[in-house]
Amino acid sequence: MDWQSILVTFVALYAIMIVRYFMVSGLFYWLLWVRPQEKVTARKLSDVQPSLELMGREIRWSLLSSVIYTIPGVIIIEAWKAGGTALYTDIGEYPLVYIPLSLFLFLFVHDTYFYWTHRWMHRPAVFRLMHRTHHYSKQPTPWAAFSFHPLEAIVGAIAVPLMVFFVPLHVGALMFMLVLMTV
């Protein structure tokens, strides 16, 4: 195992995740809170400007969660480089119709997993242990996108990495799915 390569992959992937997080969350924050209010057509949970303290807490938890999400990403990339995943790059390897079908399958499995784990996290003991952190954002902002306790981030980071080892998915479809999930 080349630890230097793994470290470079980790740093690069974490940087990509952070840039994606700040771009998407920043865009939605600007759309909802920065641009002139007469141009905002979305219904906000509150018209009260979110506090800097709230947004700072959401960003700190999101940056920590992104470290946790980076780890399975590194595992996937390193396994892919060694030929150990079902990810593929040759668009002709499967019929073109397979790309949207596999994307739908991944999103369906991930959303089903998210739904049931989220319901589980609302059980009182589990809520107190890990999910309460997310609900500290009583007036959530777009910065709360990844604002999770580390244990919740671990639970949330399991589904996609497991699937890429068993279900063929084009690398471009995986990238699209990860951006879509952030949005």
Side-chain angles (χ1 to χ4, degrees), residues 77-99:
I77 290 169
E78 293 300 319
W80 177 59
K81 289 189 322 193
T85 69
L87 292 172
Y88 65 95
T89 56
D90 180 3
I91 203 155
E93 194 167 331
Y94 293 89
L96 278 180
V97 71
Y98 181 74
I99 291 176

Side-chain angles (χ1 to χ4, degrees), residues 15-168:
I16 290 167
M17 286 189 175
I18 295 308
V19 167
R20 182 184 69 186
Y21 165 74
F22 278 103
M23 285 178 59
V24 172
S25 296
L27 171 66
F28 282 102
Y29 180 77
W30 180 84
L31 288 171
L32 290 171
W33 296 105
V34 177
R35 71 184 179 147
Q37 288 303 299
E38 64 271 6
K39 295 195 181 254
V40 177
T41 58
R43 283 184 46 215
K44 295 186 271 188
L45 297 176
S46 171
D47 286 327
V48 176
Q49 181 73 21
S51 71
L52 290 176
E53 178 187 344
L54 168 72
M55 293 185 291
R57 183 175 60 240
E58 291 172 343
I59 290 169
R60 284 189 302 277
W61 282 113
S62 293
L63 293 176
L64 177 59
S65 292
S66 293
V67 169
I68 293 164
Y69 290 135
T70 299
I71 295 168
V74 170
I75 292 168
I76 290 169
I77 290 169
E78 293 300 319
W80 177 59
K81 289 189 322 193
T85 69
L87 292 172
Y88 65 95
T89 56
D90 180 3
I91 203 155
E93 194 167 331
Y94 293 89
L96 278 180
V97 71
Y98 181 74
I99 291 176
L101 290 175
S102 62
L103 187 58
F104 174 80
L105 174 66
F106 265 72
L107 288 170
F108 178 79
V109 170
H110 180 269
D111 284 1
T112 302
Y113 174 81
F114 176 84
Y115 173 82
W116 286 108
T117 57
H118 189 242
R119 283 196 61 155
W120 171 72
M121 283 186 253
H122 275 264
R123 297 179 60 90
V126 180
F127 184 89
R128 283 189 302 276
L129 176 66
M130 67 173 75
H131 193 54
R132 179 181 6 204
T133 298
H134 186 66
H135 283 273
Y136 280 143
S137 296
K138 300 223 183 299
Q139 180 192 356
T141 72
W143 302 113
F146 298 141
S147 182
F148 305 122
H149 183 279
L151 292 174
E152 182 173 357
I154 291 168
V155 169
I158 293 173
V160 171
L162 283 179
M163 287 189 289
V164 301
F165 286 98
F166 302 104
V167 179

